[in-house]
Amino acid sequence: MIALLLALGSSLAYGCADFLGGLGARKAHVLRTVLVAAPASLAVELALWPILGASFTGASIGWGVASGVASAVAFVLLYRTLAIGPMNVLSPVTALVSAALPVTVGLLQGEHLDLAGLVGLPLALVAVVLVSAGHGAGAVRPSRTALSLALGAGAAIALQLVFLHQAPADSGVAPLIVGRAVSSTVTLIAAAALYRRLGPERPAYAISATAGVLDSLANLLFLLAARSGDLTVVAVITALYPAGTVLLARGVLAERIHRSQLVGLGTAAVAVSLLALT
């Protein structure tokens, strides 16, 4: 139950971070937004160091570096996918892959589910797709390039989660700090290389920084959840993060919640209830 609640918190934080990051990217180039969010994220993780501790062993550093590289790759592929579109078709693909791969890894590592879990897990995967899908998803057909990028983005997100899960349980927040430092460095290099294309617009500092703080919180909650529960369950619940984005878009931007998304939210509630019984 503790792992489930932590995973739900991680999912909600990821969803809120994505919503705020999207708002920030509307005001300035996405790299300018990330250049504010990344230091804010790193600052939070450094602040947690004296509270939760950090053991910088070879294993924690190695898995942290791997998660940071995967995070940077996920960022590049995801926003390239957004540029090509249609995202209302590709988003469910990305979310499903980001959930399915960690589940596969968890099962291969010997994790087992009881009857409630065997029913709840597929329902949660269905909910991930439904919540992510927008109106008219079948109206536009994605290109092979866009579909490949969406699959790659989902795989990179999944690998980031798997690598964090593989870090030693007694490493504290060391993997998060190392991973954030690596992904921030990659982002800075990309921003420097593309400086002339970033445009003159200033980023929304408060929104971008808050998105970074929430992203760090989401990573921390996922790490704690994965250390106290099964990766198969934690990864799927975390992948429900589009629900938070959808609800915020409805409340703040008055965007319509489509029928498939309402069904997805209901399916997610049933799935979480079943997984809570495992």
Side-chain angles (χ1 to χ4, degrees):
M1 180 60 73
I2 293 176
L4 183 65
L5 292 174
L6 290 170
L8 284 171
S10 176
S11 176
L12 180 60
Y14 275 131
C16 294
D18 285 353
F19 174 76
L20 292 176
L23 286 183
R26 291 183 179 184
K27 300 179 181 297
H29 193 283
V30 65
L31 281 177
R32 290 193 181 277
T33 300
V34 176
L35 285 174
V36 176
S41 298
L42 184 57
V44 170
E45 287 157 7
L46 289 173
L48 290 171
W49 183 352
I51 300 172
L52 300 178
S55 177
F56 292 93
T57 62
S60 64
I61 293 174
W63 288 116
V65 169
S67 71
V69 172
S71 176
V73 172
F75 166 76
V76 172
L77 292 179
L78 182 60
Y79 281 98
R80 180 58 180 161
T81 302
L82 282 169
I84 294 178
M87 198 57 193
N88 58 359
V89 179
L90 299 173
S91 179
V93 174
T94 301
L96 182 60
V97 173
S98 70
L101 284 184
V103 168
T104 303
V105 171
L107 293 176
L108 289 175
Q109 290 181 338
E111 295 179 359
H112 299 284
L113 295 171
D114 59 17
L115 180 59
L118 290 173
V119 177
L121 194 63
L123 276 179
L125 290 172
V126 171
V128 168
V129 176
L130 291 175
V131 170
S132 303
H135 177 65
V140 182
R141 205 172 193 176
S143 65
R144 290 184 179 179
T145 300
L147 187 58
S148 297
L149 288 170
L151 290 170
I157 293 170
L159 286 175
Q160 178 194 4
L161 300 180
V162 170
F163 292 152
L164 285 176
H165 176 258
Q166 297 302 315
D170 59 354
S171 59
V173 294
L176 297 180
I177 293 173
V178 173
R180 184 66 65 185
V182 169
S183 61
S184 298
T185 300
V186 172
T187 302
L188 286 170
I189 293 173
L194 300 173
Y195 181 75
R196 294 184 178 180
R197 302 182 185 180
L198 299 186
E201 296 85 1
R202 292 185 177 183
Y205 291 102
I207 292 176
S208 302
T210 304
V213 170
L214 287 170
D215 189 68
S216 281
L217 178 61
N219 284 337
L220 173 64
L221 292 175
F222 169 81
L223 188 62
L224 295 176
R227 288 173 177 174
S228 58
D230 289 342
L231 180 63
T232 49
V233 175
V234 169
V236 174
I237 297 301
T238 301
L240 290 169
Y241 61 86
T245 306
V246 167
L247 292 174
L248 278 173
R250 176 67 179 93
V252 178
L253 302 179
E255 290 186 1
R256 180 184 172 190
I257 297 180
H258 303 290
R259 185 176 301 174
S260 64
Q261 293 173 318
L262 285 173
V263 173
L265 291 172
T267 304
V270 174
V272 169
S273 299
L274 287 170
L275 292 172
L277 299 176
T278 61

mmCIF file of all heavy atoms in Angstrom, residues 5 20 27 38 45-46 49 51 62 70 72 76 136-137 139 141 155 158 163 180 204 207 218 225 230 241 248 257:
data_model
loop_
_atom_site.group_PDB
_atom_site.id
_atom_site.type_symbol
_atom_site.label_atom_id
_atom_site.label_comp_id
_atom_site.label_asym_id
_atom_site.label_seq_id
_atom_site.Cartn_x
_atom_site.Cartn_y
_atom_site.Cartn_z
ATOM 1 N N LEU A 5 0.792 4.175 -2.887
ATOM 2 C CA LEU A 5 0.555 5.594 -2.622
ATOM 3 C C LEU A 5 1.710 6.456 -3.131
ATOM 4 O O LEU A 5 1.495 7.540 -3.686
ATOM 5 C CB LEU A 5 0.347 5.813 -1.120
ATOM 6 C CG LEU A 5 -0.940 5.214 -0.528
ATOM 7 C CD1 LEU A 5 -0.958 5.379 0.988
ATOM 8 C CD2 LEU A 5 -2.170 5.856 -1.156
ATOM 9 N N LEU A 20 2.879 22.164 -16.381
ATOM 10 C CA LEU A 20 3.573 23.444 -16.226
ATOM 11 C C LEU A 20 4.691 23.596 -17.262
ATOM 12 O O LEU A 20 4.915 24.689 -17.781
ATOM 13 C CB LEU A 20 4.140 23.554 -14.811
ATOM 14 C CG LEU A 20 3.104 23.677 -13.695
ATOM 15 C CD1 LEU A 20 3.782 23.677 -12.327
ATOM 16 C CD2 LEU A 20 2.266 24.937 -13.863
ATOM 17 N N LYS A 27 5.633 29.928 -23.944
ATOM 18 C CA LYS A 27 6.105 31.299 -23.813
ATOM 19 C C LYS A 27 7.519 31.497 -24.352
ATOM 20 O O LYS A 27 7.925 32.612 -24.655
ATOM 21 C CB LYS A 27 6.062 31.719 -22.337
ATOM 22 C CG LYS A 27 4.653 31.645 -21.735
ATOM 23 C CD LYS A 27 4.654 32.040 -20.277
ATOM 24 C CE LYS A 27 3.267 31.957 -19.671
ATOM 25 N NZ LYS A 27 2.314 32.899 -20.299
ATOM 26 N N ALA A 38 15.865 22.605 -15.024
ATOM 27 C CA ALA A 38 16.912 21.660 -14.637
ATOM 28 C C ALA A 38 17.678 22.099 -13.383
ATOM 29 O O ALA A 38 17.845 21.296 -12.449
ATOM 30 C CB ALA A 38 17.869 21.427 -15.802
ATOM 31 N N GLU A 45 17.141 18.256 -5.263
ATOM 32 C CA GLU A 45 17.794 16.988 -4.933
ATOM 33 C C GLU A 45 19.009 17.196 -4.033
ATOM 34 O O GLU A 45 19.276 16.388 -3.135
ATOM 35 C CB GLU A 45 18.159 16.268 -6.231
ATOM 36 C CG GLU A 45 16.910 15.698 -6.911
ATOM 37 C CD GLU A 45 17.090 15.474 -8.392
ATOM 38 O OE1 GLU A 45 18.219 15.626 -8.902
ATOM 39 O OE2 GLU A 45 16.085 15.133 -9.054
ATOM 40 N N LEU A 46 19.725 18.283 -4.247
ATOM 41 C CA LEU A 46 20.851 18.594 -3.361
ATOM 42 C C LEU A 46 20.360 18.945 -1.957
ATOM 43 O O LEU A 46 21.006 18.599 -0.959
ATOM 44 C CB LEU A 46 21.672 19.749 -3.943
ATOM 45 C CG LEU A 46 22.492 19.418 -5.207
ATOM 46 C CD1 LEU A 46 23.111 20.687 -5.787
ATOM 47 C CD2 LEU A 46 23.566 18.387 -4.898
ATOM 48 N N TRP A 49 19.724 15.890 0.076
ATOM 49 C CA TRP A 49 20.910 15.095 0.407
ATOM 50 C C TRP A 49 21.111 14.950 1.931
ATOM 51 O O TRP A 49 21.218 13.838 2.443
ATOM 52 C CB TRP A 49 22.112 15.703 -0.293
ATOM 53 C CG TRP A 49 23.411 14.977 -0.127
ATOM 54 C CD1 TRP A 49 23.679 13.929 0.695
ATOM 55 C CD2 TRP A 49 24.623 15.247 -0.825
ATOM 56 N NE1 TRP A 49 24.985 13.534 0.558
ATOM 57 C CE2 TRP A 49 25.587 14.328 -0.368
ATOM 58 C CE3 TRP A 49 25.000 16.181 -1.783
ATOM 59 C CZ2 TRP A 49 26.899 14.322 -0.838
ATOM 60 C CZ3 TRP A 49 26.301 16.172 -2.262
ATOM 61 C CH2 TRP A 49 27.238 15.254 -1.791
ATOM 62 N N ILE A 51 19.012 15.286 4.249
ATOM 63 C CA ILE A 51 17.830 14.722 4.904
ATOM 64 C C ILE A 51 17.725 13.217 4.655
ATOM 65 O O ILE A 51 17.526 12.429 5.591
ATOM 66 C CB ILE A 51 16.546 15.424 4.399
ATOM 67 C CG1 ILE A 51 16.615 16.928 4.697
ATOM 68 C CG2 ILE A 51 15.300 14.799 5.034
ATOM 69 C CD1 ILE A 51 15.483 17.714 4.072
ATOM 70 N N GLY A 62 27.025 4.788 -11.359
ATOM 71 C CA GLY A 62 26.830 4.187 -12.675
ATOM 72 C C GLY A 62 25.379 4.182 -13.104
ATOM 73 O O GLY A 62 25.041 4.598 -14.225
ATOM 74 N N ALA A 70 19.495 8.405 -20.219
ATOM 75 C CA ALA A 70 18.183 7.996 -20.713
ATOM 76 C C ALA A 70 17.185 9.146 -20.629
ATOM 77 O O ALA A 70 16.373 9.344 -21.536
ATOM 78 C CB ALA A 70 17.671 6.797 -19.908
ATOM 79 N N ALA A 72 17.871 12.385 -20.784
ATOM 80 C CA ALA A 72 18.192 13.356 -21.832
ATOM 81 C C ALA A 72 17.711 12.865 -23.196
ATOM 82 O O ALA A 72 17.145 13.638 -23.989
ATOM 83 C CB ALA A 72 19.696 13.622 -21.858
ATOM 84 N N VAL A 76 14.827 14.593 -25.797
ATOM 85 C CA VAL A 76 15.049 14.915 -27.208
ATOM 86 C C VAL A 76 14.026 14.216 -28.094
ATOM 87 O O VAL A 76 13.392 14.836 -28.960
ATOM 88 C CB VAL A 76 16.479 14.519 -27.637
ATOM 89 C CG1 VAL A 76 16.652 14.674 -29.140
ATOM 90 C CG2 VAL A 76 17.505 15.371 -26.895
ATOM 91 N N GLY A 136 -10.397 12.326 -31.717
ATOM 92 C CA GLY A 136 -10.075 12.113 -33.119
ATOM 93 C C GLY A 136 -8.743 11.454 -33.340
ATOM 94 O O GLY A 136 -8.055 11.755 -34.308
ATOM 95 N N ALA A 137 -8.352 10.548 -32.456
ATOM 96 C CA ALA A 137 -7.040 9.938 -32.562
ATOM 97 C C ALA A 137 -6.865 9.165 -33.847
ATOM 98 O O ALA A 137 -5.756 9.021 -34.343
ATOM 99 C CB ALA A 137 -6.803 9.007 -31.364
ATOM 100 N N ALA A 139 -8.059 10.033 -36.750
ATOM 101 C CA ALA A 139 -8.254 10.899 -37.906
ATOM 102 C C ALA A 139 -6.961 11.148 -38.670
ATOM 103 O O ALA A 139 -6.985 11.361 -39.867
ATOM 104 C CB ALA A 139 -8.859 12.228 -37.455
ATOM 105 N N ARG A 141 -2.986 9.862 -39.523
ATOM 106 C CA ARG A 141 -2.091 8.706 -39.451
ATOM 107 C C ARG A 141 -0.670 9.190 -39.288
ATOM 108 O O ARG A 141 -0.200 10.006 -40.082
ATOM 109 C CB ARG A 141 -2.229 7.886 -40.735
ATOM 110 C CG ARG A 141 -1.860 6.439 -40.577
ATOM 111 C CD ARG A 141 -2.213 5.673 -41.822
ATOM 112 N NE ARG A 141 -2.153 4.251 -41.600
ATOM 113 C CZ ARG A 141 -2.485 3.354 -42.516
ATOM 114 N NH1 ARG A 141 -2.904 3.757 -43.695
ATOM 115 N NH2 ARG A 141 -2.412 2.070 -42.240
ATOM 116 N N ALA A 155 10.571 4.126 -24.755
ATOM 117 C CA ALA A 155 11.629 3.225 -24.292
ATOM 118 C C ALA A 155 12.640 3.962 -23.423
ATOM 119 O O ALA A 155 13.108 3.429 -22.407
ATOM 120 C CB ALA A 155 12.322 2.584 -25.498
ATOM 121 N N ALA A 158 11.160 4.602 -20.056
ATOM 122 C CA ALA A 158 11.142 3.339 -19.318
ATOM 123 C C ALA A 158 12.527 2.989 -18.787
ATOM 124 O O ALA A 158 12.676 2.555 -17.636
ATOM 125 C CB ALA A 158 10.628 2.222 -20.230
ATOM 126 N N PHE A 163 16.585 2.056 -14.671
ATOM 127 C CA PHE A 163 17.932 2.319 -14.160
ATOM 128 C C PHE A 163 17.882 2.861 -12.738
ATOM 129 O O PHE A 163 18.722 2.498 -11.898
ATOM 130 C CB PHE A 163 18.666 3.298 -15.079
ATOM 131 C CG PHE A 163 18.997 2.724 -16.431
ATOM 132 C CD1 PHE A 163 19.112 3.556 -17.544
ATOM 133 C CD2 PHE A 163 19.190 1.369 -16.603
ATOM 134 C CE1 PHE A 163 19.422 3.033 -18.789
ATOM 135 C CE2 PHE A 163 19.500 0.834 -17.853
ATOM 136 C CZ PHE A 163 19.613 1.667 -18.948
ATOM 137 N N ARG A 180 20.437 13.785 -12.549
ATOM 138 C CA ARG A 180 20.037 15.158 -12.890
ATOM 139 C C ARG A 180 21.223 15.969 -13.367
ATOM 140 O O ARG A 180 21.102 16.780 -14.292
ATOM 141 C CB ARG A 180 19.412 15.829 -11.663
ATOM 142 C CG ARG A 180 18.871 17.220 -11.942
ATOM 143 C CD ARG A 180 17.694 17.178 -12.886
ATOM 144 N NE ARG A 180 16.566 16.485 -12.305
ATOM 145 C CZ ARG A 180 15.442 16.235 -12.965
ATOM 146 N NH1 ARG A 180 15.312 16.597 -14.220
ATOM 147 N NH2 ARG A 180 14.457 15.585 -12.369
ATOM 148 N N ALA A 204 9.341 31.590 -18.825
ATOM 149 C CA ALA A 204 8.501 31.870 -17.666
ATOM 150 C C ALA A 204 9.194 31.260 -16.452
ATOM 151 O O ALA A 204 9.054 30.060 -16.178
ATOM 152 C CB ALA A 204 7.111 31.269 -17.868
ATOM 153 N N ILE A 207 7.053 29.439 -13.542
ATOM 154 C CA ILE A 207 6.400 28.222 -14.040
ATOM 155 C C ILE A 207 7.433 27.146 -14.326
ATOM 156 O O ILE A 207 7.270 25.975 -13.943
ATOM 157 C CB ILE A 207 5.578 28.534 -15.311
ATOM 158 C CG1 ILE A 207 4.379 29.413 -14.958
ATOM 159 C CG2 ILE A 207 5.117 27.250 -15.986
ATOM 160 C CD1 ILE A 207 3.563 29.852 -16.155
ATOM 161 N N ALA A 218 8.685 13.960 -8.308
ATOM 162 C CA ALA A 218 8.177 12.754 -8.960
ATOM 163 C C ALA A 218 9.238 11.664 -9.019
ATOM 164 O O ALA A 218 8.963 10.487 -8.738
ATOM 165 C CB ALA A 218 7.696 13.093 -10.372
ATOM 166 N N ALA A 225 9.058 4.422 -4.090
ATOM 167 C CA ALA A 225 8.039 3.414 -4.367
ATOM 168 C C ALA A 225 8.662 2.129 -4.896
ATOM 169 O O ALA A 225 8.300 1.019 -4.485
ATOM 170 C CB ALA A 225 7.029 3.953 -5.376
ATOM 171 N N ASP A 230 6.899 -3.652 -5.876
ATOM 172 C CA ASP A 230 7.279 -4.309 -7.118
ATOM 173 C C ASP A 230 7.330 -3.305 -8.262
ATOM 174 O O ASP A 230 6.429 -2.468 -8.420
ATOM 175 C CB ASP A 230 6.272 -5.409 -7.476
ATOM 176 C CG ASP A 230 6.376 -6.605 -6.541
ATOM 177 O OD1 ASP A 230 7.421 -6.725 -5.864
ATOM 178 O OD2 ASP A 230 5.428 -7.401 -6.489
ATOM 179 N N TYR A 241 0.549 9.213 -15.358
ATOM 180 C CA TYR A 241 0.766 10.659 -15.200
ATOM 181 C C TYR A 241 -0.060 11.534 -16.150
ATOM 182 O O TYR A 241 -0.386 12.675 -15.802
ATOM 183 C CB TYR A 241 2.256 10.991 -15.361
ATOM 184 C CG TYR A 241 2.853 10.651 -16.691
ATOM 185 C CD1 TYR A 241 2.783 11.539 -17.748
ATOM 186 C CD2 TYR A 241 3.500 9.436 -16.908
ATOM 187 C CE1 TYR A 241 3.327 11.235 -18.991
ATOM 188 C CE2 TYR A 241 4.043 9.125 -18.134
ATOM 189 C CZ TYR A 241 3.955 10.015 -19.174
ATOM 190 O OH TYR A 241 4.485 9.702 -20.398
ATOM 191 N N LEU A 248 -5.638 18.990 -14.983
ATOM 192 C CA LEU A 248 -5.189 20.378 -14.865
ATOM 193 C C LEU A 248 -5.565 21.193 -16.090
ATOM 194 O O LEU A 248 -5.960 22.364 -15.982
ATOM 195 C CB LEU A 248 -3.672 20.420 -14.650
ATOM 196 C CG LEU A 248 -3.188 20.202 -13.220
ATOM 197 C CD1 LEU A 248 -1.670 20.097 -13.186
ATOM 198 C CD2 LEU A 248 -3.655 21.338 -12.310
ATOM 199 N N ILE A 257 -12.428 17.425 -21.615
ATOM 200 C CA ILE A 257 -12.033 16.043 -21.367
ATOM 201 C C ILE A 257 -12.918 15.159 -22.235
ATOM 202 O O ILE A 257 -14.140 15.168 -22.114
ATOM 203 C CB ILE A 257 -12.206 15.662 -19.886
ATOM 204 C CG1 ILE A 257 -11.293 16.512 -19.002
ATOM 205 C CG2 ILE A 257 -11.880 14.179 -19.664
ATOM 206 C CD1 ILE A 257 -11.408 16.206 -17.528
#
